[in-house]
Structure formats: structure tokens, C-alpha cells
Amino acid sequence: MKKISNNPENYVPEMLAGLLAAHPGRLKSVAGDVHCIVRADSPVEGKVGIVAGGGSGHLPVFLGYVGRGMLDGCAVGDVFASPTIDQMYETTKAVDGGAGVLHLFGNYGGDVMNFAAAADQADMEDSIQVATVLVVDDVASAPADRASSRRGVAGMVYAFKIAGALAEEKASLAQVKAIAEHCLANTRSMGVALGPCTVPQVGKPTFTLGDDEMEIGMGIHGEQGVRRGKLQTADEILDQLIQPILDDIALGGSEVSVMLNSLGGTPLEELYIMYRRLLEVLNRHNVTVYRPYIGRFATSMEMVGASLTVLKLDSELKRLLDAPASTPFFDQGQNV
Amino acid sequence: MKKISNNPENYVPEMLAGLLAAHPGRLKSVAGDVHCIVRADSPVEGKVGIVAGGGSGHLPVFLGYVGRGMLDGCAVGDVFASPTIDQMYETTKAVDGGAGVLHLFGNYGGDVMNFAAAADQADMEDSIQVATVLVVDDVASAPADRASSRRGVAGMVYAFKIAGALAEEKASLAQVKAIAEHCLANTRSMGVALGPCTVPQVGKPTFTLGDDEMEIGMGIHGEQGVRRGKLQTADEILDQLIQPILDDIALGGSEVSVMLNSLGGTPLEELYIMYRRLLEVLNRHNVTVYRPYIGRFATSMEMVGASLTVLKLDSELKRLLDAPASTPFFDQGQNV
Amino acid sequence: MTTTLDTKQIKALMGAVADDLMAHKDDLAALDAELGDGDLGRTIERGFIAIKEALTGTLPDDIGRALFQLGKTFSNAAPSSFGALYGTALMKSGTALKDKLTVTLPECADAIQAALDALIERGKAQVGDKTMLDAIAPAITAMRAALADSGDDVSAAVVLRAAAVAAQHGADETANLQSKIGRASWQGERSTGKKDPGAQAIAYMFAAVADYLEAQL
Amino acid sequence: MTTTLDTKQIKALMGAVADDLMAHKDDLAALDAELGDGDLGRTIERGFIAIKEALTGTLPDDIGRALFQLGKTFSNAAPSSFGALYGTALMKSGTALKDKLTVTLPECADAIQAALDALIERGKAQVGDKTMLDAIAPAITAMRAALADSGDDVSAAVVLRAAAVAAQHGADETANLQSKIGRASWQGERSTGKKDPGAQAIAYMFAAVADYLEAQL
Ligand SMILES: Nc1ncnc2c1ncn2[C@@H]1O[C@H](COP(=O)(O)OP(=O)(O)O)[C@@H](O)[C@H]1O
Ligand SMILES: Nc1ncnc2c1ncn2[C@@H]1O[C@H](COP(=O)(O)OP(=O)(O)O)[C@@H](O)[C@H]1O
Ligand SMILES: [Mg+2]
Ligand SMILES: [Mg+2]
Ligand SMILES: [Mg+2]
Ligand SMILES: [Mg+2]
């Protein structure tokens, strides 16, 4: 696909410069590096800081969720590439308000190991207490008995929202970590790709799919899915997204929030076509939907396809989901 | 591009069914027709009702802006096709709270003539006072001396926001009409397409562009632009979007709001790359930016490309732009 | 003897127009793709399918109300520019022929004139702006001329053939005009050289009517 | 006489490794595309360009601090899984060799063992999980065996050649393993049959060192 870009090498820094210029009252960069982005009012005294990080190309993930009620900071890497240890460390340091910092991000090797090194450094050099929670919501990436090795996809947005809401109430680091874990224990995702995307520095599509093919369970960087199949109807696709989730977590009779997410290229219209079917299926399982999120929450550049995330609610998760949040890409008042 | 769809003929009704099911507290359909969508609390007693309408495939335009502080209702047509007179009439009737109704929509022949017939019918059969304002913001579609024949593109979102805010204050129909006209007199847009989109019922792309080509000034249904040219850098593209606007309306020294809008397929990352440049150019012209809107506000399914809209502000427009609004696709608190 | 057409004949004519236009939908779509957005084929198809359906159902007995209802049907089934305008044309002709069970050829011409006036009012275009008006106006003139030449008892086929020839000529001439209205106008000067699809659709309609009437002789 | 390497030689070795790995970046990228996301070529390029740059600048005089700094440099320049781990490996080797201006071959083996332990701690993988560990572990074993066989005055070239052969063997063997860690693990059983790109990168490194040392003889 054609890109609107100057020099591909500058794709990310120019994007970040534009983003910082667009939201000066809300965001700032630290350590003289546009890749280290925090809330303009950071550090918030006495509040646990929540830091995410990962590759670019997934807007609004990650940095789009930096703001009141969600993330305090984000270390931003190149397209689909990890930020550096230094960037993670500087971001961590900048959001520490004395109550410690939670590193909350997807289970990708580079991110995991760099965040670990950054946490060590923050502890060693600045005595900042850092806790870590990995997002592992993608049921397609490993069976239930190896659930901790799953990769993180759109479910991380729920974790940002829930943990961010509790942190805003000045809960302790242990509490914020615990609620993030509790949220993720109740979060499952599954995606389907109908077409690839193009990383600007690479210039060609990340993978190829036949005109009549789709890839079930594909990852957000084009990592292989569960299987490749013939392109199906919206209803059939939705069924393939919800079934593995129903098989993985007991939802019967419960209340859930759902996120139907376009990977970028798929228009919102088609998400609503799928949502119609989702309600039918959930109704059959006696599951009721609270606060559906339908839109682009975690993308892969212009990839065609969609993902479904389900968050099984209890009263505490519901309360925190309802809490207001305000970031450049996510604005939620009190009303449903 | 591949679609997530069942039967193409059901693309729009299924989308609308999903949308209504997703936002039951906010939206309802009237006259037993999912194509007639109004605020759940319609009609609002004593408030001017604002009705838009037009083809599907442009989400959030139009129906995504039905909600507090923006539209009261929307008549929805098939993809890129006008709704019917009946649908417009029923929607108009459903939002009339006794203060009259403003028809506010883009200058497309079918819509214009059908809305005129619907207004006649509402007057004749129900004595509803109807005023009409056409959105004609696209500078590419006609020279300044035939400005009233221009087509309407993303600038309509500003008109919805401004007129909607005044209507919420229970202003009269004449006042709401006047502010919509004033807003549009200060609104200009210009777009560029890098790739086509596919209408589900047609199944093939609406137009073709070479791998190294782009079309400057293309319309949101693929109507021909000002010229076809070689694919350029982000900065060059931005220059081509802002220059015709600067040539068309005196901005020097003023304060403006800008909307950098993806036509669908172009990722947000690239809008921010362009925004960086936009600020440079506007700074040079001594124009300051207030409340930039950067995202997908008016799309053409999955079309690759972007549009730029500029709204020249005065104190009244600024006040109304700042007013809160809350729709399924547009949530704005008091904060910038 | 004054030539007249009754409700049944008018309905049969509308059926013939529907069949003929549907057969031309692809070439009209192609013309619209050149100058507009290419949806005229779909408009024709949807609108005339609805008309055919209405013709098999119960329509009012008088010509005026029948045409009025067919016009509403067309507009709601095919809500595009052409659909809105063609629907308006049928409705206004219908209003002009209210309560009539038969219609004379001069009354026909008057009804089409009433439709043209309504189109100008609704569409804000003028003859010469490169629209369907440029086929309708010469057709009316030709009908009146044929009637003036030959008197009231001229056959409907002759009068309508004259109209059809004039309409086609008018449609062809639109290629020399620059568009002043609708989608095509956004192309400015580049619109010159391309024939207006709406005008061609009108020309097909008059030809279909003439063909049908000639076949009845 | 005990064989030792000094800071200058270590730096030269690092330069040789950098040149060699950059020459292999495309085939490493291809292996990673099969099993992961295909970015290993870019990691190698960015990381070793930064290493080469650091080598031309001012590095600490002692081997330990020099390696530590090169490790930090690599990780920050190429912040992927491989980049983080390889940087960790250099940093931990460096910690093991702090303050040393020369290093013996057994000390070398110990330093690499320290790196391996750190990788296991950081990466949570085990030998046999189809990762770079599966090339490092046999290389250490082979070094120790060569030293045990021939005593302290064996040439560095001989010991490192043994390591290189073992590392390549280990890398080749990863093709028979099912991935338990990282991106490749998401493929489950489909990962069997494909060689681990990180293990191959390690094998190239040992080979580059052996080549360089042999060329010095
Ligand atoms: N304002 C108008 N007055 C008269 N005829 C018009 C007008 N606008 C459009 N037309 C006719 O309608 C035709 C296009 O119809 P259609 O394809 O339905 O338009 P659109 O797709 O723009 O809604 C034109 O070729 C022209 O003949
Ligand atoms: N946890 C781990 N422990 C040891 N080696 C690992 C680990 N994760 C990945 N690797 C190694 O790194 C290689 C992939 O590196 P890289 O392409 O940078 O990964 P990614 O693109 O997933 O960040 C693998 O082939 C493997 O040898
Ligand atoms: Mg049209
Ligand atoms: Mg058309
Ligand atoms: Mg990677
Ligand atoms: Mg990789």
C-alpha cells in the first residue's frame, strides 16, 4: 500500500514530532528524545506510574493511551520494533511519583527483555520500585496450557483502562499490579487478517495472501496464524473469532465487555456487521454485553482484518471500566 | 480490497442493525426502518432538530455524529447512494421538537433533491418548518466564483459540531441556520487519494491509480480530482493540500481549527507526519492552530489518502467548537 | 378523430420503457462513470424493477394518479439525482393529468412540459447545462411541431418518433457542452466531449415509446 | 606459556565478528522470516554498525569494561530480542572480565559461561528450547574439552575453531527441535524443521573469531 511519508527512516520520529505538537497540553517527551512520551503533568505525586512500550505502527496502541485514567508514559520503538532500554528507563524515571511504576505491555521478546533491563536500571540507579505485567491475551498464539507464552494484542487496551483507573485512585503498586493481572486473567482475544501491511522501512507487504484467502489467528506484525483458509462471510468469520474464546474461558451467564477492533484497513461499517452476529452468538450462550468498544483500538498500520477481545466483568472491573479517561485517542465520560 | 461482509445487498442494513444494537441508549431507528436513525431521546422539546443524510461508507459521517451537541437524526442511504425521500421525511418528523428542523448535508444531487422533496412533504403534511444548508467545502471541486456548486466533504463535521452546539442552547431555527452558514463560509477542505475503495455491491475498485500515482483533489466517492500526479512525499502532499485553501480564504494572522482526516486506509501515523508539516506552513503564514482534529472523521470505506479541512475561528465559533458533544463516534469533554 | 391514449396503454408504454431502459443500463452506467460516479445503471435497474412491480399490482384507474404513484415508486427505489428527477417528472406529469382516463397528444405534450418546468424548479439547472433537460426540451418542441403540422388525428407513433429523434439529437449535442450542474460540473472543462448520461437515458425512453407505438400499428 | 588475548586483540575480534555478521544479514533475515518476523537482518545491521562505530571511538582500556560498553551499545542500537540478549551476553562477559587487560582461554570460557547463565536468567529459556542458547552451550563445552586435551598453551585458534564447529552443529540441530520460546513458539509444531536464526547467528560469530585467529597465525 502507498504510504504518505518523507524518508522512511524518519517515519517514526516525524510522526512523534507531529503528535507532540498536536497535543502539547496533554503530552510531553522526556530526556530530549521524542520516543519517550509521558503525560504533560508527569510525574503525578503519590500515584503509581503506568508505562507501556513497544513498536510503532499500532496507533492508538500504545502511546495514544497516555493520559488521565490510562497510561502515564510510553516508550516508542520503530515500526513493529522494540524501544531501547534507555528509552524505557527514561520514561520510567519520568513518571515515577514516588509510588512505583508498573510496566504493562505485550509479550514480545525484545520488549520483555528490554523492559527487564530498564527495570533493573531504575531500581539500581534511582531506587524506583518497578512491577511488570505482561499482556498475553491472544488465544491463537498458544494453547491454554501454555497461556503465559501467548502474545499480547488488543486486550492490552482493557488492561490500560482498568489498571489506569485504579492507579488514578492512588492505589498501591501491588494493588495496581494485581488488578492488571486480574483484568488480563479475564481477557481473551482472537484475530483474522485478510491482507498484509507494509512497514515503511521495508517497503513491501509483510506477508502475502491469495485473493480468496484469509489467515485466522494472525499476529499484529504478520506472525503466522492458526490456519489459512478460504475467505468467508462476515458471520462465519465472527464465529471463528468467538469460538476459540468461548473454548478458552467460561463465559456462560456472565456479563462481558467486547472490543471489535479493525486492524486498520477494514472500515468500521464491517465491524458493525460482525457485531450484529456477535450479539446473536453471545445471546445463545446467555452472555450479555456491557460497553462494547467498536473501532480502531490496536492496529497494524493498514492491515485488513479485525480482532475480537472479550473482557469478562465483575463488579470491580465494571466500576473501573466505567471510570472516566481522557487521552488524545480515547475519551470516555461517565456515560455509556 | 477484501470485505468482511455477508450478502453485499445486506451490507448497509446489517451494519445499521449492528450499530443500533451497539448503542441502544444513544440511538434508535424510526418508522420501522433502520435507515432512519435519531437520538434515543428524540424529539427534544423546543430544540431545533438537525438532520443530515447521505450514502453509507463514510463512517463516522454521517450517522456517527448523531448525539448530544451534534445531529438529532440521519437518513442513511446505501453505500455512496442517497437515502430516499421517505427516509428523509420520517427522520425529519421524528426529530421535530416544535422548533423546526435544519437539513444540513453535502452538496450531492440526489441528496439535494430528495431532501427538498422531504422538506416539502414535512411542511405540507406536518407543518414542520424546515431550513436547508448545503455543505460546499471542497475547494478542489469548483473555483471560487462557483463556490456554491462545490461538493461537501469532511468540513461537514465542523458544521455539525457548530450548529449542533448552538441548537443545544435552544437557539431558533434561523439562528442555527445562520451559524451553520457562517461556519461553512469559514471552512475549506482539500483531499488527495492514493488508492481506490470498493463498493460492496460493485465488488471492484471505484477507480484505478498507478503504483506511483496519486490524485489531487479527488472526491469521497472517487469523483475525479484536480489532477493526477506522481506520488510525492508527505511534505509535498501536505503543501498541495494547504495551498489551495490559502489561495481561497484569507487566513493570515488568524486562529484556525484544522482537521487532518484519513480517508480510511491511511494509518494515523501518517496524518501526524503531515501535521508536523502543516504547522510549519501555517506558522509561516502567521496562523495559529486551536483544537486540531487528527483521525478518521469522514472516510470513503478503505480509500488510501487524506483530507485537510481548515475552519477559521472567531470567538463565537470557538465557543461552539469547545462545547461538549457526545455521540457514539465523537466524544468531547470540556478539555482540549 | 382525435388520437388518445388510455390508462391501459400508458401502463403498457411504461412497461416497454422499463424493459428497454434496463437493457441499456450498462451503457448508461459507463457514460455516468465517465462524467459522474457510475451509478446510473444501478439507478435504472432499481427504479424500473420497482416500476415493473408496481405495474403488476393495483394502480389507480386514472392516468394522473397512476403516473404520480409510479413517480413516487421510482424516487424511493432509486434515490439518486436521476431517480429524484425522473420521479419528480412522473409525479408532475401525473398532477397535470389528474382524473383523466384518456389523454390526447397535446395534453401529453403539456404534461411533459409541466414535468420539465418542475425539473428546472427542483434541479436548478437550465436547458444547456448538459443535463437530461437537454433531451426533454427538444422532444417537446418536436412533438408540438408534429402536432401543428399534421393536426389532432396524427398517430401517436408519428409524434413520438419525432420526439425520440429530437431527444436523441439533444442528447448527442450534450457532448459539446460544458457541465454546469451536479457531479459532472466538478470536472469543469474536462466534461466537454462526453455525452450526458441522463440525457441519453431520456432519449432511450422516447425511442422505446415510439418503438412500442409503431409495433402496435 | 599460557595463551592470552589483550584488549586490542579483543577489539579486533569484535570488528571481525561485526564484518562477518553484516555479510550474513540477509540469510539471517530469511531464517527469521520463516520462524519469526524477519527483522533479524536489521537487528544485525544496526547493532554491528553501532559496534563498529564504538570500536573506532574511545573504549575503556580493560577488556571487561570495553565489552560491557559494547553490549550496552548493541542493545540500544538494536532493541529486539536478539539485540537485548546479545547485549546482555556482552555485558555479562564484561562483568566477568572487569579490570582485566589480558584474558586467558579458560577465563574466556568462564566469561562465555557467565553470559550463558545471564541469558537463561533474562530470557527464561533453557538449552533445548530452540534458541541461540543451543549454539552457545555446545561451544563452551567444546572449548573446555579442547583446553582439557591440550593444556594451557594451546593456540586460541584451535580452541575457537572447536567452539565454532560445535556451535554450528548446535545451530543445525535446532532444526529438529520444537520452539518453546519467543515468536517462533507461536508456531507450535510447525516450527519443527526450521533452523533457529539466533543460533545460526551465534555459530557465525564463533566461526568469524576462529577465522580471524587462524589468519593471524
Ligand atoms: N440538477 C439537475 N437538473 C437536471 N438534471 C440533472 C441534475 N443533476 C443531475 N442531472 C441528470 O442526472 C444525471 C446523473 O444522474 P445520477 O447518476 O443519478 O447522478 P448522481 O450519481 O450524481 O446522483 C446527469 O447525467 C444529468 O442528466
Ligand atoms: N527468551 C530467549 N532466550 C534465548 N534466545 C532467544 C529468546 N527469545 C529469542 N531468542 C533468540 O532470538 C532470535 C530472534 O531474535 P529477533 O529476531 O530479534 O526476535 P524478535 O524479532 O522476536 O524480537 C531467536 O532465533 C532466538 O535464537
Ligand atoms: Mg450517485
Ligand atoms: Mg451517478
Ligand atoms: Mg522483532
Ligand atoms: Mg525477529
Side-chain angles (χ1 to χ4, degrees):
Chain A
M1 202 206 65
K2 289 180 205 154
K3 299 266 160 206
I4 301 181
S5 145
N6 293 307
N7 181 344
E9 292 296 327
N10 295 337
Y11 190 89
V12 171
E14 289 187 354
M15 178 267 283
L16 294 172
L19 202 132
L20 287 161
H23 309 289
R26 299 176 150 222
L27 302 176
K28 66 183 179 195
S29 67
V30 294
D33 184 348
V34 290
H35 296 83
C36 307
I37 289 189
V38 301
R39 278 169 59 168
D41 60 351
S42 292
V44 182
E45 186 65 30
K47 177 186 167 307
V48 169
I50 305 183
V51 170
S56 291
H58 302 299
L59 276 179
V61 157
F62 306 79
L63 72 157
Y65 298 112
V66 175
R68 196 166 44 78
M70 293 187 88
L71 301 175
D72 291 86
C74 180
V76 181
D78 230 323
V79 174
F80 296 175
S82 177
T84 68
I85 298 168
D86 282 354
Q87 288 159 351
M88 292 170 173
Y89 164 71
E90 293 293 349
T91 306
T92 302
K93 209 167 80 172
V95 305
D96 177 47
V101 174
L102 177 67
H103 284 174
L104 179 56
F105 58 95
N107 181 30
Y108 295 95
D111 298 326
V112 173
M113 287 175 281
N114 288 321
F115 261 120
D120 284 355
Q121 192 175 343
D123 177 16
M124 196 89 84
E125 297 183 8
D126 309 273
S127 300
I128 299 173
Q129 214 190 328
V130 176
T132 298
V133 174
L134 291 185
V135 180
V136 288
D137 58 320
D138 184 7
V139 296
S141 51
D145 59 340
R146 292 197 290 113
S148 68
S149 76
R150 287 175 174 167
R151 62 194 167 206
V153 290
M156 72 178 66
V157 180
Y158 278 127
F160 297 164
K161 177 71 189 70
I162 298 293
L166 193 66
E168 211 66 53
E169 296 174 3
K170 302 273 166 84
S172 71
L173 180 57
Q175 288 170 321
V176 175
K177 176 176 196 254
I179 199 73
E181 283 168 343
H182 177 60
C183 171
L184 289 165
N186 287 286
T187 303
R188 298 290 186 284
S189 298
M190 175 80 191
V192 59
L194 277 65
C197 63
T198 301
V199 175
Q201 289 95 338
V202 179
K204 57 174 194 237
T206 45
F207 58 93
T208 52
L209 268 175
D211 266 0
D212 56 348
E213 285 183 330
M214 61 183 195
E215 176 97 16
I216 315 284
M218 172 158 282
I220 55 175
H221 313 101
E223 299 97 342
Q224 228 186 306
V226 180
R227 68 181 165 283
R228 191 163 285 203
K230 285 272 161 256
L231 183 60
Q232 295 181 305
T233 66
D235 289 357
E236 290 165 337
I237 291 174
L238 191 281
D239 291 351
Q240 303 226 40
L241 296 184
I242 185 66
Q243 195 54 53
I245 293 176
L246 290 167
D247 293 344
D248 205 81
I249 182 171
L251 292 182
S254 67
E255 192 174 25
V256 302
S257 176
V258 295
M259 181 173 284
L260 252 179
N261 172 57
S262 165
L263 298 180
T266 289
L268 300 191
E269 282 78 1
E270 295 166 26
L271 299 181
Y272 282 103
I273 293 176
M274 296 171 83
Y275 184 68
R276 204 193 93 267
R277 174 67 168 192
L278 176 60
L279 282 190
E280 282 172 27
V281 177
L282 290 180
N283 277 348
R284 265 209 312 276
H285 287 82
N286 201 18
V287 176
T288 55
V289 172
Y290 181 75
R291 252 189 208 282
Y293 292 90
I294 301 169
R296 291 180 179 88
F297 297 93
T299 64
S300 300
M301 311 285 309
E302 72 283 356
M303 198 184 284
V304 178
S307 72
L308 168 64
T309 301
V310 175
L311 167 61
K312 184 175 172 180
L313 293 169
D314 56 30
S315 61
E316 177 70 351
L317 289 174
K318 205 165 157 177
R319 183 180 76 79
L320 294 168
L321 189 64
D322 282 345
S326 169
T327 84
F329 292 74
F330 188 96
D331 236 298
Q332 184 176 289
Q334 292 285 8
N335 52 332
V336 182
Chain B
M1 199 207 66
K2 288 180 207 152
K3 299 266 161 206
I4 300 181
S5 146
N6 294 307
N7 180 343
E9 292 297 326
N10 294 337
Y11 190 90
V12 171
E14 289 188 353
M15 177 268 282
L16 294 172
L19 203 132
L20 287 161
H23 309 288
R26 300 177 151 221
L27 302 176
K28 66 183 179 195
S29 68
V30 293
D33 185 348
V34 291
H35 297 83
C36 306
I37 289 188
V38 302
R39 276 169 62 167
D41 60 351
S42 293
V44 182
E45 187 64 30
K47 176 185 168 308
V48 169
I50 305 182
V51 171
S56 291
H58 303 298
L59 278 179
V61 157
F62 307 81
L63 73 158
Y65 298 112
V66 175
R68 195 166 46 78
M70 295 186 87
L71 300 175
D72 292 86
C74 179
V76 181
D78 230 324
V79 174
F80 296 176
S82 177
T84 67
I85 297 168
D86 282 353
Q87 288 159 352
M88 292 168 170
Y89 164 70
E90 293 293 349
T91 306
T92 301
K93 209 169 78 170
V95 306
D96 177 46
V101 174
L102 177 67
H103 285 174
L104 180 56
F105 58 96
N107 182 29
Y108 296 95
D111 298 326
V112 173
M113 285 174 281
N114 288 321
F115 262 119
D120 284 356
Q121 193 175 341
D123 178 16
M124 195 88 83
E125 297 182 8
D126 309 274
S127 300
I128 299 171
Q129 212 189 329
V130 177
T132 298
V133 174
L134 290 186
V135 180
V136 289
D137 58 320
D138 184 7
V139 296
S141 52
D145 59 339
R146 292 196 291 116
S148 68
S149 75
R150 287 174 175 169
R151 64 194 165 204
V153 291
M156 69 178 68
V157 181
Y158 278 126
F160 296 164
K161 177 71 190 71
I162 298 293
L166 194 66
E168 212 66 54
E169 297 174 1
K170 303 274 166 82
S172 72
L173 181 57
Q175 288 170 320
V176 175
K177 177 176 195 252
I179 198 73
E181 283 168 340
H182 176 60
C183 169
L184 288 165
N186 287 287
T187 302
R188 297 292 186 283
S189 298
M190 176 80 189
V192 59
L194 277 66
C197 62
T198 300
V199 176
Q201 289 94 338
V202 180
K204 55 176 197 236
T206 44
F207 58 92
T208 52
L209 269 175
D211 266 0
D212 57 345
E213 285 183 331
M214 62 182 193
E215 177 96 16
I216 314 283
M218 173 157 284
I220 55 173
H221 313 101
E223 297 97 342
Q224 229 185 304
V226 180
R227 69 183 164 283
R228 192 163 285 202
K230 286 270 164 258
L231 183 59
Q232 294 181 306
T233 66
D235 288 357
E236 289 165 337
I237 291 173
L238 192 281
D239 292 351
Q240 302 225 38
L241 296 183
I242 186 66
Q243 194 55 52
I245 294 175
L246 290 167
D247 292 344
D248 205 80
I249 181 171
L251 292 182
S254 66
E255 192 174 25
V256 301
S257 175
V258 296
M259 182 174 284
L260 251 180
N261 172 56
S262 164
L263 297 181
T266 288
L268 300 190
E269 282 80 358
E270 295 166 26
L271 299 180
Y272 282 102
I273 292 176
M274 297 171 83
Y275 184 69
R276 206 191 91 266
R277 175 67 168 195
L278 176 61
L279 282 190
E280 283 173 26
V281 177
L282 289 180
N283 278 349
R284 267 209 309 276
H285 287 81
N286 201 19
V287 176
T288 54
V289 172
Y290 180 75
R291 249 189 209 282
Y293 292 90
I294 301 169
R296 291 180 179 89
F297 297 94
T299 64
S300 301
M301 309 286 310
E302 71 284 355
M303 198 184 283
V304 178
S307 73
L308 169 64
T309 300
V310 175
L311 167 61
K312 184 175 174 180
L313 293 169
D314 56 29
S315 61
E316 178 70 349
L317 289 174
K318 204 166 159 176
R319 183 180 76 79
L320 295 168
L321 188 64
D322 282 345
S326 169
T327 84
F329 293 73
F330 187 97
D331 235 297
Q332 184 175 288
Q334 292 285 10
N335 52 331
V336 181
Chain C
M1 193 204 83
T2 307
T3 304
T4 61
L5 298 167
D6 63 17
T7 307
K8 209 174 134 212
Q9 283 172 301
I10 294 287
K11 289 184 192 172
L13 283 174
M14 284 303 300
V17 165
D19 290 337
D20 189 79
L21 268 282
M22 283 199 276
H24 282 111
K25 73 178 164 56
D26 289 339
D27 68 79
L28 292 171
L31 287 177
D32 190 37
E34 282 279 300
L35 216 49
D37 59 356
D39 63 0
L40 189 56
R42 204 172 157 76
T43 291
I44 294 292
E45 185 174 24
R46 292 198 156 192
F48 282 113
I49 283 178
I51 291 254
K52 295 272 295 185
E53 244 177 60
L55 287 172
T56 65
T58 49
L59 276 179
D61 288 334
D62 77 277
I63 294 173
R65 287 195 172 75
L67 286 177
F68 190 92
Q69 189 163 320
L70 291 176
K72 266 192 94 154
T73 300
F74 195 97
S75 284
N76 275 309
S80 57
S81 296
F82 187 87
L85 290 167
Y86 184 60
T88 300
L90 289 179
M91 286 160 76
K92 283 295 166 164
S93 310
T95 310
L97 300 174
K98 191 152 75 169
D99 294 331
K100 289 200 188 295
L101 296 174
T102 62
V103 58
T104 65
L105 291 174
E107 282 170 340
C108 267
D110 290 347
I112 299 175
Q113 181 66 52
L116 179 61
D117 294 344
L119 293 185
I120 290 170
E121 203 210 308
R122 171 112 312 155
K124 307 275 184 297
Q126 297 300 323
V127 175
D129 284 357
K130 194 179 181 115
T131 68
M132 59 199 281
L133 308 186
D134 297 320
I136 302 174
I140 298 171
T141 310
M143 282 179 82
R144 296 216 198 278
L147 288 165
D149 287 356
S150 331
D152 275 12
D153 58 349
V154 64
S155 87
V158 167
V159 174
L160 268 299
R161 176 59 65 199
V165 170
Q168 185 59 55
H169 183 72
D172 291 340
E173 285 294 310
T174 61
N176 303 322
L177 301 172
Q178 178 176 334
S179 177
K180 296 263 160 51
I181 208 91
R183 279 204 151 72
S185 71
W186 301 327
Q187 289 198 27
E189 286 165 15
R190 282 165 303 160
S191 69
T192 313
K194 301 170 187 164
K195 183 157 69 173
D196 180 66
Q200 182 56 56
I202 296 294
Y204 284 143
M205 289 183 201
F206 278 106
V209 170
D211 290 349
Y212 179 85
L213 292 171
E214 285 167 5
Q216 302 301 301
L217 291 182
Chain D
M1 194 204 86
T2 305
T3 305
T4 60
L5 298 167
D6 63 15
T7 306
K8 206 172 136 215
Q9 283 171 300
I10 294 287
K11 289 185 193 172
L13 283 174
M14 285 301 301
V17 165
D19 290 338
D20 188 77
L21 269 283
M22 282 198 278
H24 281 112
K25 75 178 162 56
D26 289 338
D27 67 79
L28 292 172
L31 287 178
D32 190 37
E34 283 279 302
L35 216 48
D37 59 356
D39 62 359
L40 188 58
R42 203 170 158 80
T43 291
I44 293 292
E45 185 173 21
R46 293 199 155 188
F48 283 112
I49 284 177
I51 292 256
K52 296 270 301 186
E53 243 178 62
L55 288 171
T56 64
T58 47
L59 276 180
D61 288 334
D62 76 278
I63 295 172
R65 286 194 174 73
L67 286 177
F68 191 92
Q69 189 161 322
L70 291 176
K72 266 191 95 155
T73 300
F74 195 96
S75 285
N76 275 311
S80 57
S81 295
F82 187 88
L85 290 168
Y86 185 59
T88 300
L90 290 178
M91 286 161 76
K92 284 294 166 163
S93 309
T95 310
L97 301 174
K98 192 152 77 171
D99 293 332
K100 290 198 186 299
L101 295 174
T102 61
V103 57
T104 66
L105 291 174
E107 283 170 340
C108 266
D110 290 346
I112 300 175
Q113 181 66 49
L116 178 61
D117 294 344
L119 293 186
I120 291 171
E121 203 209 309
R122 172 113 311 158
K124 306 277 184 296
Q126 296 300 323
V127 175
D129 284 356
K130 192 178 182 118
T131 69
M132 59 198 280
L133 307 187
D134 298 321
I136 302 175
I140 297 171
T141 308
M143 283 180 80
R144 295 216 198 279
L147 287 166
D149 287 357
S150 331
D152 276 10
D153 59 347
V154 64
S155 87
V158 167
V159 173
L160 269 298
R161 177 57 66 199
V165 169
Q168 185 59 56
H169 182 71
D172 290 340
E173 285 293 311
T174 60
N176 302 322
L177 300 173
Q178 178 175 334
S179 176
K180 297 266 161 51
I181 209 91
R183 277 204 152 74
S185 71
W186 303 326
Q187 290 198 26
E189 285 165 15
R190 281 166 303 160
S191 68
T192 313
K194 301 168 187 165
K195 185 157 68 174
D196 180 66
Q200 182 57 55
I202 296 294
Y204 283 144
M205 290 184 199
F206 279 105
V209 171
D211 290 350
Y212 179 85
L213 292 171
E214 285 168 6
Q216 301 301 302
L217 290 182

